[in-house]
Amino acid sequence: MESPTPPPALPSSAVTQDEKTLGIVMHVLCLVGFPLIGPLIIWLIKKDQSQYLDLQGRELLNFQISYFIYAFVAFLLCFVLVGVVLLPVIAIAMIVLTIIGIVSAAEGKVYRFPLTIRML
């Protein structure tokens, strides 16, 4: 895991309303049932056109992949009853952190998700 340094800050004037909207859409797609595919499609289309959406998409995809790995491990640990406690905690964390990400995207900021493995 990389050090928890925040992503480079972009001036709020550098982020357009369209970029903020697409950032919000990427997070909302995670809540409505498209956790990897929705943000991945937007990120792949817009990453070369917008530094903000590139940072937002990378952070969100890293978060989603990391927490799916954690959920898979917790699922495997259900056989020794530890995962029974971990799975709901991970699910709640994913929902709460995604909502925090939506609020940050609405402000034109890139939220740095905790406990995320930086792969992209």
Side-chain angles (χ1 to χ4, degrees):
M1 246 190 305
E2 281 184 24
S3 64
T5 57
L10 299 171
S12 58
S13 61
V15 181
T16 66
Q17 187 59 43
D18 288 341
E19 290 172 326
K20 289 179 188 178
T21 302
L22 281 173
I24 292 169
V25 168
M26 288 186 344
H27 288 282
V28 169
L29 285 172
C30 294
L31 288 179
V32 297
F34 302 99
L36 285 173
I37 300 301
L40 179 64
I41 290 170
I42 294 173
W43 178 66
L44 288 173
I45 292 171
K46 294 292 186 176
K47 70 178 181 171
D48 296 328
Q49 299 169 10
S50 166
Q51 181 186 10
Y52 171 74
L53 290 175
D54 182 36
L55 292 172
Q56 188 77 264
R58 283 179 192 270
E59 188 64 26
L60 184 57
L61 290 170
N62 283 331
F63 164 70
Q64 291 293 316
I65 293 168
S66 297
Y67 279 71
F68 277 125
I69 291 169
Y70 302 152
F72 179 73
V73 170
F75 172 75
L76 294 178
L77 290 174
C78 282
F79 297 108
V80 291
L81 300 179
V82 175
V84 174
V85 174
L86 290 177
L87 274 176
V89 169
I90 292 169
I92 291 169
M94 286 182 76
I95 292 168
V96 169
L97 292 173
T98 301
I99 291 170
I100 293 171
I102 291 170
V103 172
S104 293
E107 296 171 353
K109 299 176 186 173
V110 177
Y111 178 64
R112 190 82 163 178
F113 292 98
L115 303 174
T116 298
I117 303 166
R118 312 282 175 223
M119 295 174 254
L120 300 175

